PDB file of all heavy atoms in Angstrom:
ATOM      1  N   ALA A   2     122.013 -68.812  99.939  1.00  0.00           N
ATOM      2  CA  ALA A   2     121.283 -69.615 100.925  1.00  0.00           C
ATOM      3  C   ALA A   2     120.802 -68.700 102.045  1.00  0.00           C
ATOM      4  O   ALA A   2     121.350 -67.637 102.276  1.00  0.00           O
ATOM      5  CB  ALA A   2     122.201 -70.696 101.493  1.00  0.00           C
ATOM      6  N   HIS A   3     119.762 -69.156 102.753  1.00  0.00           N
ATOM      7  CA  HIS A   3     119.247 -68.336 103.859  1.00  0.00           C
ATOM      8  C   HIS A   3     120.280 -68.292 104.975  1.00  0.00           C
ATOM      9  O   HIS A   3     120.732 -69.306 105.472  1.00  0.00           O
ATOM     10  CB  HIS A   3     117.922 -68.897 104.386  1.00  0.00           C
ATOM     11  CG  HIS A   3     117.354 -68.052 105.469  1.00  0.00           C
ATOM     12  ND1 HIS A   3     116.734 -66.856 105.195  1.00  0.00           N
ATOM     13  CD2 HIS A   3     117.361 -68.185 106.811  1.00  0.00           C
ATOM     14  CE1 HIS A   3     116.365 -66.296 106.340  1.00  0.00           C
ATOM     15  NE2 HIS A   3     116.734 -67.083 107.333  1.00  0.00           N
ATOM     16  N   LEU A   4     120.656 -67.095 105.351  1.00  0.00           N
ATOM     17  CA  LEU A   4     121.649 -66.887 106.394  1.00  0.00           C
ATOM     18  C   LEU A   4     120.978 -66.263 107.602  1.00  0.00           C
ATOM     19  O   LEU A   4     120.044 -65.483 107.474  1.00  0.00           O
ATOM     20  CB  LEU A   4     122.741 -65.932 105.901  1.00  0.00           C
ATOM     21  CG  LEU A   4     123.480 -66.327 104.632  1.00  0.00           C
ATOM     22  CD1 LEU A   4     124.396 -65.195 104.193  1.00  0.00           C
ATOM     23  CD2 LEU A   4     124.260 -67.605 104.832  1.00  0.00           C
ATOM     24  N   SER A   5     121.474 -66.620 108.759  1.00  0.00           N
ATOM     25  CA  SER A   5     121.021 -65.957 109.975  1.00  0.00           C
ATOM     26  C   SER A   5     122.261 -65.420 110.674  1.00  0.00           C
ATOM     27  O   SER A   5     123.390 -65.780 110.333  1.00  0.00           O
ATOM     28  CB  SER A   5     120.271 -66.928 110.890  1.00  0.00           C
ATOM     29  OG  SER A   5     121.173 -67.787 111.551  1.00  0.00           O
ATOM     30  N   VAL A   6     122.052 -64.576 111.656  1.00  0.00           N
ATOM     31  CA  VAL A   6     123.167 -64.003 112.388  1.00  0.00           C
ATOM     32  C   VAL A   6     123.948 -65.102 113.119  1.00  0.00           C
ATOM     33  O   VAL A   6     125.106 -64.919 113.471  1.00  0.00           O
ATOM     34  CB  VAL A   6     122.688 -62.876 113.333  1.00  0.00           C
ATOM     35  CG1 VAL A   6     122.003 -63.434 114.550  1.00  0.00           C
ATOM     36  CG2 VAL A   6     123.821 -61.953 113.712  1.00  0.00           C
ATOM     37  N   ASP A   7     123.317 -66.266 113.297  1.00  0.00           N
ATOM     38  CA  ASP A   7     123.988 -67.398 113.941  1.00  0.00           C
ATOM     39  C   ASP A   7     124.670 -68.333 112.943  1.00  0.00           C
ATOM     40  O   ASP A   7     125.278 -69.324 113.348  1.00  0.00           O
ATOM     41  CB  ASP A   7     122.980 -68.185 114.788  1.00  0.00           C
ATOM     42  CG  ASP A   7     122.427 -67.343 115.923  1.00  0.00           C
ATOM     43  OD1 ASP A   7     123.205 -66.595 116.544  1.00  0.00           O
ATOM     44  OD2 ASP A   7     121.208 -67.414 116.181  1.00  0.00           O
ATOM     45  N   SER A   8     124.572 -68.038 111.642  1.00  0.00           N
ATOM     46  CA  SER A   8     125.259 -68.858 110.646  1.00  0.00           C
ATOM     47  C   SER A   8     126.757 -68.806 110.910  1.00  0.00           C
ATOM     48  O   SER A   8     127.284 -67.780 111.347  1.00  0.00           O
ATOM     49  CB  SER A   8     124.984 -68.338 109.231  1.00  0.00           C
ATOM     50  OG  SER A   8     123.627 -68.428 108.902  1.00  0.00           O
ATOM     51  N   THR A   9     127.427 -69.910 110.631  1.00  0.00           N
ATOM     52  CA  THR A   9     128.878 -69.925 110.818  1.00  0.00           C
ATOM     53  C   THR A   9     129.523 -69.086 109.726  1.00  0.00           C
ATOM     54  O   THR A   9     128.943 -68.871 108.657  1.00  0.00           O
ATOM     55  CB  THR A   9     129.453 -71.352 110.755  1.00  0.00           C
ATOM     56  OG1 THR A   9     129.252 -71.858 109.432  1.00  0.00           O
ATOM     57  CG2 THR A   9     128.794 -72.263 111.783  1.00  0.00           C
ATOM     58  N   ASN A  10     130.728 -68.637 109.992  1.00  0.00           N
ATOM     59  CA  ASN A  10     131.463 -67.869 108.994  1.00  0.00           C
ATOM     60  C   ASN A  10     131.680 -68.699 107.734  1.00  0.00           C
ATOM     61  O   ASN A  10     131.658 -68.177 106.623  1.00  0.00           O
ATOM     62  CB  ASN A  10     132.798 -67.393 109.562  1.00  0.00           C
ATOM     63  CG  ASN A  10     132.620 -66.296 110.594  1.00  0.00           C
ATOM     64  OD1 ASN A  10     131.504 -65.926 110.946  1.00  0.00           O
ATOM     65  ND2 ASN A  10     133.712 -65.780 111.088  1.00  0.00           N
ATOM     66  N   GLU A  11     131.857 -70.004 107.898  1.00  0.00           N
ATOM     67  CA  GLU A  11     132.053 -70.886 106.747  1.00  0.00           C
ATOM     68  C   GLU A  11     130.796 -70.926 105.883  1.00  0.00           C
ATOM     69  O   GLU A  11     130.880 -70.916 104.656  1.00  0.00           O
ATOM     70  CB  GLU A  11     132.438 -72.303 107.204  1.00  0.00           C
ATOM     71  CG  GLU A  11     133.836 -72.415 107.798  1.00  0.00           C
ATOM     72  CD  GLU A  11     133.965 -71.789 109.195  1.00  0.00           C
ATOM     73  OE1 GLU A  11     132.988 -71.773 109.967  1.00  0.00           O
ATOM     74  OE2 GLU A  11     135.062 -71.288 109.495  1.00  0.00           O
ATOM     75  N   GLU A  12     129.610 -70.978 106.515  1.00  0.00           N
ATOM     76  CA  GLU A  12     128.357 -70.965 105.760  1.00  0.00           C
ATOM     77  C   GLU A  12     128.205 -69.659 104.989  1.00  0.00           C
ATOM     78  O   GLU A  12     127.797 -69.652 103.832  1.00  0.00           O
ATOM     79  CB  GLU A  12     127.156 -71.157 106.692  1.00  0.00           C
ATOM     80  CG  GLU A  12     127.055 -72.541 107.288  1.00  0.00           C
ATOM     81  CD  GLU A  12     125.988 -72.638 108.377  1.00  0.00           C
ATOM     82  OE1 GLU A  12     125.811 -71.682 109.160  1.00  0.00           O
ATOM     83  OE2 GLU A  12     125.337 -73.684 108.425  1.00  0.00           O
ATOM     84  N   ILE A  13     128.543 -68.568 105.624  1.00  0.00           N
ATOM     85  CA  ILE A  13     128.432 -67.263 104.979  1.00  0.00           C
ATOM     86  C   ILE A  13     129.423 -67.158 103.836  1.00  0.00           C
ATOM     87  O   ILE A  13     129.112 -66.686 102.751  1.00  0.00           O
ATOM     88  CB  ILE A  13     128.633 -66.128 106.011  1.00  0.00           C
ATOM     89  CG1 ILE A  13     127.465 -66.146 107.009  1.00  0.00           C
ATOM     90  CG2 ILE A  13     128.757 -64.773 105.329  1.00  0.00           C
ATOM     91  CD1 ILE A  13     127.658 -65.256 108.221  1.00  0.00           C
ATOM     92  N   ARG A  14     130.641 -67.656 104.058  1.00  0.00           N
ATOM     93  CA  ARG A  14     131.677 -67.565 103.040  1.00  0.00           C
ATOM     94  C   ARG A  14     131.390 -68.439 101.818  1.00  0.00           C
ATOM     95  O   ARG A  14     131.954 -68.215 100.754  1.00  0.00           O
ATOM     96  CB  ARG A  14     133.046 -67.878 103.641  1.00  0.00           C
ATOM     97  CG  ARG A  14     134.144 -67.177 102.891  1.00  0.00           C
ATOM     98  CD  ARG A  14     135.556 -67.320 103.412  1.00  0.00           C
ATOM     99  NE  ARG A  14     135.793 -68.130 104.567  1.00  0.00           N
ATOM    100  CZ  ARG A  14     135.765 -67.684 105.826  1.00  0.00           C
ATOM    101  NH1 ARG A  14     135.503 -66.441 106.079  1.00  0.00           N
ATOM    102  NH2 ARG A  14     136.003 -68.487 106.825  1.00  0.00           N
ATOM    103  N   LYS A  15     130.501 -69.428 101.927  1.00  0.00           N
ATOM    104  CA  LYS A  15     130.121 -70.226 100.757  1.00  0.00           C
ATOM    105  C   LYS A  15     129.540 -69.329  99.676  1.00  0.00           C
ATOM    106  O   LYS A  15     129.722 -69.583  98.496  1.00  0.00           O
ATOM    107  CB  LYS A  15     129.106 -71.305 101.138  1.00  0.00           C
ATOM    108  CG  LYS A  15     129.709 -72.470 101.873  1.00  0.00           C
ATOM    109  CD  LYS A  15     128.648 -73.490 102.233  1.00  0.00           C
ATOM    110  CE  LYS A  15     129.221 -74.601 103.092  1.00  0.00           C
ATOM    111  NZ  LYS A  15     128.178 -75.522 103.567  1.00  0.00           N
ATOM    112  N   ASN A  16     128.816 -68.287 100.087  1.00  0.00           N
ATOM    113  CA  ASN A  16     128.199 -67.371  99.148  1.00  0.00           C
ATOM    114  C   ASN A  16     129.001 -66.088  98.954  1.00  0.00           C
ATOM    115  O   ASN A  16     128.888 -65.431  97.934  1.00  0.00           O
ATOM    116  CB  ASN A  16     126.790 -66.998  99.638  1.00  0.00           C
ATOM    117  CG  ASN A  16     125.902 -68.209  99.700  1.00  0.00           C
ATOM    118  OD1 ASN A  16     125.624 -68.828  98.685  1.00  0.00           O
ATOM    119  ND2 ASN A  16     125.475 -68.574 100.890  1.00  0.00           N
ATOM    120  N   LEU A  17     129.772 -65.737  99.935  1.00  0.00           N
ATOM    121  CA  LEU A  17     130.542 -64.495  99.912  1.00  0.00           C
ATOM    122  C   LEU A  17     132.006 -64.842 100.148  1.00  0.00           C
ATOM    123  O   LEU A  17     132.590 -64.501 101.171  1.00  0.00           O
ATOM    124  CB  LEU A  17     130.006 -63.535 100.989  1.00  0.00           C
ATOM    125  CG  LEU A  17     128.520 -63.206 100.869  1.00  0.00           C
ATOM    126  CD1 LEU A  17     127.991 -62.579 102.154  1.00  0.00           C
ATOM    127  CD2 LEU A  17     128.253 -62.300  99.694  1.00  0.00           C
ATOM    128  N   THR A  18     132.598 -65.525  99.183  1.00  0.00           N
ATOM    129  CA  THR A  18     133.927 -66.113  99.343  1.00  0.00           C
ATOM    130  C   THR A  18     135.032 -65.102  99.587  1.00  0.00           C
ATOM    131  O   THR A  18     136.076 -65.449 100.126  1.00  0.00           O
ATOM    132  CB  THR A  18     134.294 -66.946  98.092  1.00  0.00           C
ATOM    133  OG1 THR A  18     134.208 -66.086  96.943  1.00  0.00           O
ATOM    134  CG2 THR A  18     133.350 -68.116  97.914  1.00  0.00           C
ATOM    135  N   TYR A  19     134.827 -63.868  99.213  1.00  0.00           N
ATOM    136  CA  TYR A  19     135.868 -62.858  99.325  1.00  0.00           C
ATOM    137  C   TYR A  19     135.927 -62.203 100.700  1.00  0.00           C
ATOM    138  O   TYR A  19     136.809 -61.417 100.969  1.00  0.00           O
ATOM    139  CB  TYR A  19     135.676 -61.765  98.261  1.00  0.00           C
ATOM    140  CG  TYR A  19     134.243 -61.306  98.160  1.00  0.00           C
ATOM    141  CD1 TYR A  19     133.723 -60.373  99.032  1.00  0.00           C
ATOM    142  CD2 TYR A  19     133.403 -61.858  97.199  1.00  0.00           C
ATOM    143  CE1 TYR A  19     132.411 -59.988  98.964  1.00  0.00           C
ATOM    144  CE2 TYR A  19     132.076 -61.466  97.114  1.00  0.00           C
ATOM    145  CZ  TYR A  19     131.592 -60.524  97.999  1.00  0.00           C
ATOM    146  OH  TYR A  19     130.285 -60.149  97.921  1.00  0.00           O
ATOM    147  N   LEU A  20     134.973 -62.522 101.587  1.00  0.00           N
ATOM    148  CA  LEU A  20     134.975 -61.913 102.912  1.00  0.00           C
ATOM    149  C   LEU A  20     135.899 -62.674 103.858  1.00  0.00           C
ATOM    150  O   LEU A  20     135.969 -63.889 103.822  1.00  0.00           O
ATOM    151  CB  LEU A  20     133.568 -61.896 103.502  1.00  0.00           C
ATOM    152  CG  LEU A  20     132.547 -61.002 102.814  1.00  0.00           C
ATOM    153  CD1 LEU A  20     131.198 -61.127 103.492  1.00  0.00           C
ATOM    154  CD2 LEU A  20     132.998 -59.563 102.802  1.00  0.00           C
ATOM    155  N   THR A  21     136.570 -61.938 104.706  1.00  0.00           N
ATOM    156  CA  THR A  21     137.422 -62.555 105.724  1.00  0.00           C
ATOM    157  C   THR A  21     136.578 -62.824 106.961  1.00  0.00           C
ATOM    158  O   THR A  21     135.478 -62.278 107.108  1.00  0.00           O
ATOM    159  CB  THR A  21     138.581 -61.617 106.106  1.00  0.00           C
ATOM    160  OG1 THR A  21     138.029 -60.448 106.730  1.00  0.00           O
ATOM    161  CG2 THR A  21     139.417 -61.232 104.897  1.00  0.00           C
ATOM    162  N   ASN A  22     137.100 -63.632 107.868  1.00  0.00           N
ATOM    163  CA  ASN A  22     136.399 -63.870 109.137  1.00  0.00           C
ATOM    164  C   ASN A  22     136.162 -62.563 109.877  1.00  0.00           C
ATOM    165  O   ASN A  22     135.104 -62.349 110.455  1.00  0.00           O
ATOM    166  CB  ASN A  22     137.195 -64.837 110.022  1.00  0.00           C
ATOM    167  CG  ASN A  22     136.985 -66.281 109.610  1.00  0.00           C
ATOM    168  OD1 ASN A  22     135.960 -66.642 109.054  1.00  0.00           O
ATOM    169  ND2 ASN A  22     137.968 -67.107 109.894  1.00  0.00           N
ATOM    170  N   ALA A  23     137.153 -61.677 109.866  1.00  0.00           N
ATOM    171  CA  ALA A  23     137.013 -60.391 110.559  1.00  0.00           C
ATOM    172  C   ALA A  23     135.875 -59.569 109.959  1.00  0.00           C
ATOM    173  O   ALA A  23     135.107 -58.937 110.691  1.00  0.00           O
ATOM    174  CB  ALA A  23     138.322 -59.608 110.489  1.00  0.00           C
ATOM    175  N   GLN A  24     135.754 -59.577 108.643  1.00  0.00           N
ATOM    176  CA  GLN A  24     134.688 -58.813 107.992  1.00  0.00           C
ATOM    177  C   GLN A  24     133.319 -59.419 108.313  1.00  0.00           C
ATOM    178  O   GLN A  24     132.369 -58.680 108.595  1.00  0.00           O
ATOM    179  CB  GLN A  24     134.911 -58.767 106.482  1.00  0.00           C
ATOM    180  CG  GLN A  24     136.119 -57.930 106.101  1.00  0.00           C
ATOM    181  CD  GLN A  24     136.568 -58.158 104.683  1.00  0.00           C
ATOM    182  OE1 GLN A  24     136.383 -59.222 104.115  1.00  0.00           O
ATOM    183  NE2 GLN A  24     137.184 -57.140 104.100  1.00  0.00           N
ATOM    184  N   ILE A  25     133.224 -60.737 108.289  1.00  0.00           N
ATOM    185  CA  ILE A  25     131.958 -61.396 108.615  1.00  0.00           C
ATOM    186  C   ILE A  25     131.589 -61.113 110.069  1.00  0.00           C
ATOM    187  O   ILE A  25     130.443 -60.786 110.378  1.00  0.00           O
ATOM    188  CB  ILE A  25     132.044 -62.910 108.347  1.00  0.00           C
ATOM    189  CG1 ILE A  25     132.167 -63.171 106.835  1.00  0.00           C
ATOM    190  CG2 ILE A  25     130.829 -63.642 108.923  1.00  0.00           C
ATOM    191  CD1 ILE A  25     132.513 -64.596 106.467  1.00  0.00           C
ATOM    192  N   ASP A  26     132.577 -61.222 110.963  1.00  0.00           N
ATOM    193  CA  ASP A  26     132.322 -60.936 112.379  1.00  0.00           C
ATOM    194  C   ASP A  26     131.850 -59.500 112.565  1.00  0.00           C
ATOM    195  O   ASP A  26     130.966 -59.230 113.384  1.00  0.00           O
ATOM    196  CB  ASP A  26     133.575 -61.204 113.218  1.00  0.00           C
ATOM    197  CG  ASP A  26     133.910 -62.687 113.307  1.00  0.00           C
ATOM    198  OD1 ASP A  26     133.014 -63.524 113.061  1.00  0.00           O
ATOM    199  OD2 ASP A  26     135.073 -63.003 113.621  1.00  0.00           O
ATOM    200  N   GLU A  27     132.426 -58.571 111.818  1.00  0.00           N
ATOM    201  CA  GLU A  27     132.024 -57.171 111.910  1.00  0.00           C
ATOM    202  C   GLU A  27     130.581 -56.987 111.439  1.00  0.00           C
ATOM    203  O   GLU A  27     129.810 -56.252 112.056  1.00  0.00           O
ATOM    204  CB  GLU A  27     132.971 -56.284 111.090  1.00  0.00           C
ATOM    205  CG  GLU A  27     132.773 -54.811 111.310  1.00  0.00           C
ATOM    206  CD  GLU A  27     133.120 -54.346 112.716  1.00  0.00           C
ATOM    207  OE1 GLU A  27     133.956 -54.977 113.394  1.00  0.00           O
ATOM    208  OE2 GLU A  27     132.534 -53.343 113.158  1.00  0.00           O
ATOM    209  N   CYS A  28     130.184 -57.673 110.366  1.00  0.00           N
ATOM    210  CA  CYS A  28     128.792 -57.601 109.887  1.00  0.00           C
ATOM    211  C   CYS A  28     127.842 -58.150 110.946  1.00  0.00           C
ATOM    212  O   CYS A  28     126.795 -57.551 111.228  1.00  0.00           O
ATOM    213  CB  CYS A  28     128.633 -58.401 108.594  1.00  0.00           C
ATOM    214  SG  CYS A  28     129.406 -57.637 107.173  1.00  0.00           S
TER     215      CYS A  28
END
Side-chain angles (χ1 to χ4, degrees):
H3 182 76
L4 303 173
S5 76
V6 75
D7 297 319
S8 297
T9 65
N10 288 4
E11 290 73 31
E12 291 171 323
I13 294 169
R14 208 176 1 270
K15 285 179 186 174
N16 297 297
L17 303 164
T18 57
Y19 45 82
L20 293 178
T21 65
N22 280 333
Q24 291 165 332
I25 292 169
D26 291 340
E27 190 66 27
C28 288

